[in-house]
Amino acid sequence: MGKGGSLSDNVIKNIILSYTYVSIWIFLSFTVIVYNKYILDKKLYNWPFPISLTMIHMSFCASLAFLLVKVFRFVDPVSMSKHLYLSSVVPIGALYSLSLWLSNSAYIYLSVSFIQMLKALMPVAVYSIGVLLKKESFKTDTMVNMVSISFGVAIAAYGEARFDTWGVMLQLGAVAFEATRLVMIQILLTSKGITFNPITSLYYVAPCCLVFLLVPWIFVEYPVLKQSSSFEFDFVIFGTNSFCAFALNLAVFLLVGKTSALTMNVAGVVKDWLLIAFSWSVIKDTVTPINLFGYGLAFLGVAYYNHAKLQALKAKEVEKKVAQTDEEADRLLLGEKQGQGNDK
């Protein structure tokens, strides 16, 4: 009874911890998105400088990552040569900087709810780029599912009350660059046996992003900021915003490390619906029935895609276990034959 009770307590403890990690990640992800919208929107805090905001985030994250890796040794750095850094990390950093720049820029033109709907295209972009770069095999049923997701997002866009063509182009560009980054991570890093957790990722990638963002910042935002004599840097606003962005990366580390990537995908769906509800009820963004119908279709497509990926992973694990069992059986059989030969 005691043993059974102990097992039950451990199970309950793990469930509580899992829900805690999920809740923390949803809260921080939710906070960063709404906070960025608040800072960049001309009707709210009115600081429409997405490159500057992204550079503040990268500076803060790079500094804290350096402290955690080099000073406090919270995680170990990855062994990496200069050539590997330049050939693998730098291209990923360039893609990440473009993705962050464009996605933050979209908050100036689009509502939070509509941006979340457009982000449903991420699996479509990842799969399509994966097929183009030969990291994914083309499957008709998967492509049909991708078309259904795209169709749902198109309906949501058609029903958008505050549709802005430039804002949509920025967000779609952000999705494309982020999807390319995810595929390139598999090609340039994972295939070479290199894996980053969110902290080491920021340690290596954030300084690189900062350098790439510096170039457009000098020509696009610096001249405007220089002329804007009325602006004073608010350390509370930008400090807490940057801290939330860094804490989000730590939450990703906890969520994926202690649960699974699938849990994060499911949590992401919950977060998206919460953001849409918040955008409608608190920010007072217009969410139309056509918006919801279109996003609902896209959501079903994404859910099916995640389910199919989970089934494929389970099938691979079963195949791996069967192969290991066959190997063990062969070794036992070989051992028996050798033993019989020695007896003779």
Side-chain angles (χ1 to χ4, degrees):
M1 181 72 181
K3 190 175 179 180
S6 176
L7 181 63
S8 178
D9 289 343
N10 286 333
V11 170
I12 291 169
K13 184 181 177 182
N14 287 334
I15 290 171
I16 291 171
L17 282 174
S18 295
Y19 275 106
T20 302
Y21 296 137
V22 168
S23 300
I24 290 170
W25 180 82
I26 288 175
F27 172 76
L28 287 170
S29 182
F30 184 98
T31 302
V32 169
I33 289 169
V34 173
Y35 213 156
N36 286 352
K37 172 68 175 176
Y38 168 75
I39 291 171
L40 294 165
D41 198 306
K42 294 177 181 178
K43 295 178 182 177
L44 300 171
Y45 188 75
N46 190 26
W47 199 69
F49 300 102
I51 305 175
S52 301
L53 182 64
T54 308
M55 288 178 69
I56 292 168
H57 287 174
M58 289 298 103
S59 301
F60 187 88
C61 289
S63 301
L64 278 186
F66 177 82
L67 290 173
L68 288 172
V69 173
K70 287 294 186 181
V71 179
F72 299 111
R73 301 190 182 281
F74 184 72
V75 292
D76 295 323
V78 177
S79 178
M80 185 176 298
S81 65
K82 184 179 179 181
H83 171 73
L84 185 61
Y85 184 83
L86 291 174
S87 62
S88 300
V89 177
V90 169
I92 290 167
L95 291 166
Y96 193 39
S97 61
L98 287 167
S99 170
L100 291 172
W101 171 17
L102 296 183
S103 63
N104 280 334
S105 299
Y107 286 113
I108 300 171
Y109 305 96
L110 303 175
S111 66
V112 170
S113 57
F114 187 43
I115 286 174
Q116 299 313 119
M117 294 175 190
L118 290 174
K119 283 181 180 179
L121 287 170
M122 185 61 74
V124 179
V126 171
Y127 178 73
S128 301
I129 293 167
V131 170
L132 285 173
L133 298 179
K134 298 181 179 179
K135 285 302 293 181
E136 293 275 359
S137 56
F138 180 85
K139 294 179 181 176
T140 305
D141 57 340
T142 304
M143 187 51 73
V144 169
N145 187 29
M146 297 299 108
V147 171
S148 71
I149 295 171
S150 304
F151 182 65
V153 172
I155 292 173
Y158 176 77
E160 175 59 21
R162 282 184 55 202
F163 187 90
D164 185 283
T165 304
W166 180 239
V168 171
M169 288 174 65
L170 287 170
Q171 185 56 47
L172 293 180
V175 168
F177 282 122
E178 179 63 10
T180 306
R181 183 184 76 91
L182 294 173
V183 176
M184 292 305 289
I185 285 173
Q186 293 180 347
I187 295 171
L188 298 176
L189 294 176
T190 309
S191 62
K192 297 174 184 176
I194 299 169
T195 55
F196 288 148
N197 61 51
I199 298 172
T200 52
S201 177
L202 287 173
Y203 175 74
Y204 289 106
V205 176
C208 185
C209 286
L210 198 57
V211 172
F212 277 112
L213 289 166
L214 189 62
V215 177
W217 179 77
I218 290 171
F219 295 102
V220 178
E221 294 186 1
Y222 175 68
V224 182
L225 285 166
K226 193 176 180 182
Q227 292 176 356
S228 179
S229 57
S230 60
F231 175 74
E232 291 183 8
F233 190 85
D234 192 326
F235 285 95
V236 175
I237 290 288
F238 293 103
T240 52
N241 178 246
S242 298
F243 181 77
C244 287
F246 183 79
L248 177 59
N249 281 278
L250 292 181
V252 171
F253 183 36
L254 282 173
L255 185 60
V256 177
K258 302 296 183 181
T259 57
S260 68
L262 181 67
T263 303
M264 187 173 168
N265 285 337
V266 174
V269 170
V270 175
K271 177 209 69 178
D272 289 344
W273 282 108
L274 285 173
L275 276 166
I276 290 169
F278 180 86
S279 178
W280 170 71
S281 61
V282 179
I283 304 177
K284 302 301 179 184
D285 286 332
T286 303
V287 179
T288 66
I290 297 175
N291 272 149
L292 293 175
F293 176 72
Y295 183 65
L297 285 179
F299 162 73
L300 290 174
V302 172
Y304 178 77
Y305 176 70
N306 286 333
H307 173 73
K309 282 188 73 176
L310 177 62
Q311 296 303 313
L313 285 171
K314 284 183 176 178
K316 280 185 180 179
E317 285 182 8
V318 169
E319 286 178 10
K320 193 175 179 181
K321 285 179 181 178
V322 169
Q324 287 175 346
T325 304
D326 289 344
E327 283 180 12
E328 289 175 6
D330 290 340
R331 280 198 295 268
L332 287 171
L333 187 61
L334 184 62
E336 287 178 4
K337 285 182 178 179
Q338 287 176 345
Q340 289 173 0
N342 291 335
D343 290 342
K344 287 179 182 178

